[in-house]
Amino acid sequence: MNGRHHDFDAADGSDVTGTPPSRSDKAESDGVEEALALVGRKTSQGGAPAAAAGPSTVRHRATPWPDARALAERIGRAAPPRTQRVPLDQALGHVLAEPLAALCDLPSFDTSAMDGWIVAGPGPWTVQVGGSILAGHGEASPLPDGAAVRIATGARIPPEATAVIRSEHARTDADKGQLYAEREVVTGQDIRPRGQECRSGDQLLPAASLVTPAVLGLAAAAGYDELLTVVRPRVEVLVLGDELLTAGLPHDGLIRDALGPMVGPWLHALGVHVVATRRLGDDAEALYRAVTTSDADLILTTGGTAAGPVDHVHPVLRKAGAELLVDSVAVRPGHPMLLARLAADGDLPARHLVGLPGNPLAAVSGLLTLAEPLLRGLAGRPAPLPYRAPVHDEVHGHPYDTRLVPFVHRADHLVPLHYNGPAMLRGIAAADGLAVVPPGGAQAGDELEVLDLPWTSWTPSLVEGGRFT
Ligand SMILES: Nc1nc2c(c(=O)[nH]1)N[C@H]1C(S)=C(S)[C@@H](COP(=O)(O)OP(=O)(O)OC[C@H]3O[C@@H](n4cnc5c(N)ncnc54)[C@H](O)[C@@H]3O)O[C@H]1N2
Ligand code: MOO
């Protein structure tokens, strides 16, 4: 033991639902109940109970948190990539399936960078009568030495011209029909030469780049009408629980469904296609039917992952012949989360299922631990660059498990938020992300890994449908 972790002597056992700000962090999300849940858990060799072995030697059935994330991503990346051609106005938020290579030179002709005068040779110059050279027109006739013509930004440079003089740097003598420069004129000034930004065929962006608004602009400038992108993974969300209301106030032991309204939009913000969110109650038959007939790439269930009388996820997966790849993760909250593989069956290809625990913050933990890396892999998106930041306060840890704690960025530090209990969304709703607290906890100033939320950086799917007219 390193002396940092939360000691589990808080015998009231009441803290598993989180701590209001007035209470000590000591009693935050974990407690006696969870410590007891570890007691009696066998080592992977079927040896002594895990809790008796101590943190350095303990082996859980639970997959370590970093391994669970890495495995989920590997599984996603192992799927054969599917690609499609998408018109530019529907490509926002997609991922490029091939490098973006310029289809033309940019600029595609020598062009004026300023409004002013195009001149040939040294001045003063004779102003040519007969209008200006404007953007959007074909090539003008060659400019004789000593001549000047008005030119607009973006207009083609006529052959033989040598420089552009900005209007504010030039003076005309109307009587003499002459143009004088008020500053030294350098050959080529304010002319953007053809190919300055790229030559046709140059790689502008690598494959796997996210199509952002800027990428759409670049692709259009470089001549694209459509893009080859990775097909978005399709996800079906199954919300389990007879106790859930879809409207009104909680009453008579019934509570509002907090996951139906949250999980679909969260997935959407990750750039995937949510085919449906269905509420199935605690009906094992309905769950079996849904799981065995869904053609989504990923089925995501909420609730029913534990071992209660109506927790149907494990029995249904067994009945469906699913292979459990991850069966609980060493993370708090969210440890009952699971990942399973459903074999191909008839017309249905092999698919995956992620079971999110029912407690709402535990479900968020499952989303970020298993669903997000898996979907990132399936979507061909690169992993975000991992980053760490110092934590402002001491954060108690779990003795063996990783903790995910909602935080806000304040003056280069992560400030952990209260209301981080497994059943609470009050912290995460105000958060910039989740701080990854290693087993044993962290001291003030320790650098913690940070998980961003999709909307704390720009996200494609907050722009509904990503279309423009
Ligand atoms: N004997 C044990 N019991 C429990 C354990 C354990 O290790 N041993 N783990 C606890 C933990 S941790 C969690 S998390 C939950 C996971 O349970 P389930 O995935 O089976 O979820 P449910 O029992 O269906 O629900 C748990 C909790 O969450 C509420 N819930 C469910 N769905 C929603 C929803 N859509 N919106 C809002 N709230 C929801 C539900 O009413 C329960 O209060 O198991 C513990 N038990
Ligand atoms: O408390 Mo559980 O850890 O919500 O997953």
Side-chain angles (χ1 to χ4, degrees), residues 239 243-244 255-259 303-306 311 335-336 357-360 362:
V239 177
E243 74 277 31
L244 304 175
I255 59 166
R256 281 293 295 274
D257 168 21
L259 297 179
T305 56
D311 288 337
H335 71 94
N359 275 329

Side-chain angles (χ1 to χ4, degrees), residues 83-464:
T83 61
Q84 64 193 347
R85 294 211 171 271
V86 183
L88 278 195
D89 65 357
Q90 291 164 34
L92 185 66
H94 284 233
V95 170
L96 294 181
E98 61 182 5
L100 188 77
L103 299 178
C104 58
D105 296 347
L106 281 181
S108 47
F109 46 82
D110 294 346
T111 183
S112 174
M114 295 289 161
D115 295 323
W117 300 89
I118 182 73
V119 298
W125 301 269
T126 306
V127 174
Q128 287 207 332
V129 282
S132 310
I133 303 176
L134 301 177
H137 291 262
E139 194 172 64
S141 43
L143 196 61
D145 202 30
V149 186
R150 274 206 169 276
I151 194 163
T153 305
R156 292 185 74 153
I157 302 292
E160 318 299 343
T162 49
V164 169
I165 305 174
R166 303 176 190 194
S167 21
E168 59 272 33
H169 297 162
R171 174 174 58 81
T172 50
D173 182 329
D175 296 339
K176 292 189 185 157
Q178 294 275 291
L179 177 82
Y180 300 90
E182 294 187 323
R183 304 193 172 186
E184 188 197 351
V185 175
V186 178
T187 300
Q189 73 179 31
D190 285 331
I191 294 175
R192 292 192 186 118
R194 174 177 183 159
Q196 183 185 49
E197 186 172 359
C198 64
R199 287 285 175 194
S200 180
D202 282 356
Q203 181 177 309
L204 304 175
L205 290 170
S209 299
L210 180 67
V211 180
T212 62
V215 172
L216 289 174
L218 177 66
Y224 283 86
D225 302 321
E226 53 183 27
L227 293 171
L228 189 73
T229 65
V230 180
V231 173
R232 285 173 186 242
R234 298 168 73 252
V235 186
E236 182 166 359
V237 182
L238 306 176
V239 177
L240 313 182
D242 280 345
E243 74 277 31
L244 304 175
L245 296 167
T246 53
L249 293 175
H251 62 87
D252 302 319
L254 302 174
I255 59 166
R256 281 293 295 274
D257 168 21
L259 297 179
M262 180 179 81
V263 172
W266 198 304
L267 293 165
H268 190 62
L270 293 174
V272 305
H273 178 198
V274 181
V275 287
T277 294
R278 298 169 57 201
R279 291 179 175 80
L280 301 185
D282 283 318
D283 180 341
E285 255 316 300
L287 179 60
Y288 179 78
R289 266 197 313 279
V291 165
T292 51
T293 56
S294 172
D295 64 355
D297 300 304
L298 175 66
I299 301 164
L300 209 99
T301 58
T302 69
T305 56
V310 290
D311 288 337
H312 297 309
V313 175
H314 278 99
V316 161
L317 288 176
R318 263 196 303 277
K319 188 172 162 194
E323 182 189 356
L324 268 181
L325 305 171
V326 173
D327 190 11
S328 90
V329 174
V331 65
R332 306 288 161 145
H335 71 94
M337 67 179 75
L338 59 86
L339 169 60
R341 182 175 183 275
L342 294 149
D345 183 13
D347 290 342
L348 292 174
R351 294 144 301 142
H352 286 91
L353 180 144
V354 166
L356 303 179
N359 275 329
L361 191 61
V364 169
S365 166
L367 257 180
L368 296 188
T369 301
L370 295 177
E372 189 273 331
L374 180 85
L375 292 166
R376 181 170 4 105
L378 283 175
R381 286 184 187 224
L385 286 178
Y387 75 98
R388 305 174 83 84
V391 66
H392 192 264
D393 313 297
E394 180 187 358
V395 193
H396 292 296
H398 187 277
Y400 322 117
D401 294 354
T402 301
R403 282 187 69 203
L404 300 181
V405 179
F407 73 87
V408 284
H409 288 289
R410 289 286 179 276
D412 297 334
H413 278 77
L414 310 175
V415 178
L417 294 172
H418 295 283
Y419 302 111
N420 56 30
M424 297 178 175
L425 293 175
R426 190 169 167 184
I428 190 73
D432 290 328
L434 286 163
V436 180
V437 180
Q443 306 283 26
D446 283 358
E447 300 233 317
L448 296 182
E449 185 181 344
V450 169
L451 298 180
D452 280 330
L453 304 180
W455 45 90
T456 51
S457 53
W458 179 84
T459 174
S461 30
L462 293 180
V463 185
E464 185 48 48

